[in-house]
Amino acid sequence: MQTVIPHWLTKQAEISPEQIAIQNGNGSTLTFQQLKESSQNYARKLAALGVSSGTHVAVLSTNKQEMVVAIHALSYLQAVVVLLNSRLTSEELTYQLKDAEVSFLLYDGSLAPLSEEIPFSQSLSFTAVNHLQPKDVKLATEINLQTPFTMMYTSGTTGFPKGVVHTYGNHWWSAVGSALNLGIQKEDKWLAVLPLFHVSGLSILIRSVIYGMTVYLLEKFNRKKVHHVILTKKITMISVVTVMLQQLLDELGEDSYPAYLRCMLLGGGPAPKPLLEQAKEKNVPVFQSFGMTETASQIVTLSAKDALKKIGSAGKPLFPAQLKINTPDENGVGEIFVKGPMVTNGYYNNESATVNAIHNGWLATGDLGYLDKEGYLYVVDRRSDLIISGGENVYPSEVESTMARFPGIKEVGVTGKADPKWGEVPVAFIVTDQTYNHGELQCFLTEHLAAYKRPKEIHEVDYLPRNASNKLVRLELKKLIK
Amino acid sequence: MQTVIPHWLTKQAEISPEQIAIQNGNGSTLTFQQLKESSQNYARKLAALGVSSGTHVAVLSTNKQEMVVAIHALSYLQAVVVLLNSRLTSEELTYQLKDAEVSFLLYDGSLAPLSEEIPFSQSLSFTAVNHLQPKDVKLATEINLQTPFTMMYTSGTTGFPKGVVHTYGNHWWSAVGSALNLGIQKEDKWLAVLPLFHVSGLSILIRSVIYGMTVYLLEKFNRKKVHHVILTKKITMISVVTVMLQQLLDELGEDSYPAYLRCMLLGGGPAPKPLLEQAKEKNVPVFQSFGMTETASQIVTLSAKDALKKIGSAGKPLFPAQLKINTPDENGVGEIFVKGPMVTNGYYNNESATVNAIHNGWLATGDLGYLDKEGYLYVVDRRSDLIISGGENVYPSEVESTMARFPGIKEVGVTGKADPKWGEVPVAFIVTDQTYNHGELQCFLTEHLAAYKRPKEIHEVDYLPRNASNKLVRLELKKLIK
């Protein structure tokens, strides 16, 4: 039994044609009716290019209205949108384009320099597409929830990025689960400053079309700008990562936010308790959450109400989700498994990774945690290796395998170090031979790794801590930092 | 791809254990945790009786907490709940029990006299079940949205009642569609005074467990009681039919409702314009709607905001629904077709009725209507024959075929007559022979037809209006009334 619904943007344009869909930082707006028309027009131009049902089309952009239009346009053609992280290097992007079997790459003009570095022939700027003659094609009027809609890359313990496939249903159920938890109110307006190429940002767009809610779109985080927008633009919801929360609280000082700001959804890694307590003191309605690309955004959320008594907890699994702690130890701590219709069916063209991660619908998150007596989740350790730096995931294995390719580096181990601004930053320990050149290594890293993945410190050591089976012990690396 | 979610009551008990699920007219309450425990205990008793996955169990009750518990208990066993209309005669109920292949009948003690008239051996009162020893069985922890959950009978143009099967998914999507339209607010409390054996009442229960919302449960409609409850019990939403709205407005007089009463959802047939205007004057937030058993409750709803400019319209199809006017005439009027995941897959064991009603997912409602330029639906005529009397559907063909069995009645035609209290009442025209006895007919009707289906007037005529092919022309019957 396939579940079919009307195309969500068309539907919202029918229900609330005059409602503002997108409000841009520069003041311009687009209603749902206008967004629908722009997206449909853009779809016809993409069709002229040769995009059709099932075509994989990559999008490389910061948070811009053109990106929103491109995403919806691709959905009208039933193409699959591969969302690229604009912070990656051309080499990293090239890997993803190939792995995702992308046919076309669309990029925002501001990223032309980066896109030109990518050896990929079918690249076009948003503007170039706009100059094409539209082709008269039949656009989707319905959405089958089983159909793949987006792909996003996430690294993992193996070091090879994997393409997480989201169906329309994954996004739909995530939006509905969020609504059942946070409620839906007419006056809601969600500030999207997290990148739309991450699921934390994209999910705001999807909620917008499903709820008929305005998204206030900002291209990048600037503490003064975001602070000003919250105070003056009737923002009721905002998604943030820890580093942003910290900066916003600093900016807030002794002031307070307007009472209609009802949810500051906090994701992207564990938050230090002092920060949460500070938010509590200032009456900032922080909702801690737990989620990952595979769960199409938050899957566990702590309401502001519970935040007072459950500080440090990520909350309870959202309505359509289940959670269990796998083989808990004597303290109840074990690996967090989650299940629900928002969880991905798997990784693109990567059966082994899929089989490793998902068993009978249960996703092994790789994170450790426990449930208290009332069922609230406490995450005690993120995926053993994972470093979360300013909301971006950094997998040590990926950094290590890149660094190991550099001439003169014999062994390398990477771990996270606490950082007052970014939460954590990667730090590397290397064993080198006499041909090693530090300056050249920096050039090499700049070419091959996104800035946030590059080690902020590189320490030369005589040997790396290894266990009996010669496996790197990253826990020992952490001790070396001290 | 099957969509699986956690069992909704278990889930809500985990999320909001202390939240009131059911508030009864007598003041007693049940939290979600208590409702879950009661339902699970009751399920184990039903298991002792022999109820298991797929068993068809009928429930005959007015709006009582025991009925709510029984419904959830049956869902924990994955049994199918056949909801019986307590206003029907034993003969009508017997037909439904047989057609629905029911194994057990559960009834509320107050309906013992009616249930004893039904020739059915496996009947038990709610109390009798409570005395059983529980059996230790595995209860459902998950819900597969494709699984059938309830059945309700609706008559039709053929005169034979048909069992509408609702899957969990039909109810789920109906609840979500309603939430996306009406919003979800923490303080919501929905007054359920419409019968739970109708989908308009049952859908309130389902919304309750999905939203974590309190249901205020009243056994029957009494204008003074309902008025008092609205004024004193912090009711924010209420579902009503036209006759109730009229009485409530009379009761309200020059007063006004509290501002937190944010939705009076009006279903069950067309509302007279003067009544809607009266509601508007008194600032009563009436949401007109259109729906039927087959759509698992409202599928088109007019918001209070739009009510001001679109008086008389049923509104726009809810988010996950589609609507079209089939083969419209020059005025745009045609049969209303609807589609969406809340629409039933069909009638129980009745392939021909299913095939007649549903084509490629589109349900032919039998109602006529048109869309205005902005996409608002106006229903111009209910299912050609249908009489809606106090919110209950009366199919003339069913009344006719029953009356035709009475000795001395040679021909019979039934139609609706406007009625100040009930909206419409059935009126019959008969052609008789000399053996006909009016007093005996009344006895016969009392035995075979629910009170609301019995003609309020019976006129003897020489012949019935028929067309060239000898088919009854009911439109002409209406003229005879005048």
Side-chain angles (χ1 to χ4, degrees), chain A residues 285-306:
Chain A
V286 169
F287 289 60
Q288 271 222 83
S289 71
F290 170 76
M292 58 204 70
T293 305
E294 285 85 340
T295 60
S297 107
Q298 37 149 354
I299 189 166
V300 181
T301 306
L302 185 70
S303 66
K305 182 190 63 174
D306 292 340

Side-chain angles (χ1 to χ4, degrees), chain A residues 199-210:
Chain A
V199 77
S200 48
L202 181 68
S203 59
I204 303 172
L205 272 199
I206 311 286
R207 288 179 208 126
S208 161
V209 289
I210 294 177

Side-chain angles (χ1 to χ4, degrees), chain B residues 118-184:
Chain B
I118 304 171
F120 188 78
S121 60
Q122 299 287 342
S123 295
L124 285 95
S125 70
F126 288 150
T127 315
V129 174
N130 245 330
H131 289 145
L132 296 173
Q133 282 301 316
K135 184 177 169 190
D136 189 24
V137 291
K138 195 171 149 24
L139 302 177
T141 57
E142 294 182 337
I143 283 172
N144 182 325
L145 294 190
Q146 277 71 43
T147 304
F149 175 29
T150 59
M151 278 172 63
M152 293 178 184
Y153 275 77
T154 172
S155 288
T157 46
T158 61
F160 292 103
K162 299 167 288 185
V164 178
V165 181
H166 292 126
T167 61
Y168 284 95
N170 294 145
H171 289 299
W172 166 270
W173 283 89
S174 171
V176 169
S178 181
L180 290 175
N181 185 44
L182 302 176
I184 304 181

Side-chain angles (χ1 to χ4, degrees), chain A residues 148 150-154 162-167 170 293-295 340 342-359 361-363, chain B residues 1:
Chain A
T150 59
M151 279 173 61
M152 291 177 184
Y153 275 77
T154 172
K162 300 167 288 184
V164 178
V165 180
H166 292 126
T167 62
N170 295 144
T293 305
E294 285 85 340
T295 60
M342 69 284 272
V343 175
T344 180
N345 297 325
Y347 304 100
Y348 186 66
N349 271 353
N350 197 337
E351 186 63 18
S352 70
T354 301
V355 167
N356 263 334
I358 304 171
H359 323 266
W362 286 96
L363 171 76
Chain B
M1 205 58 211

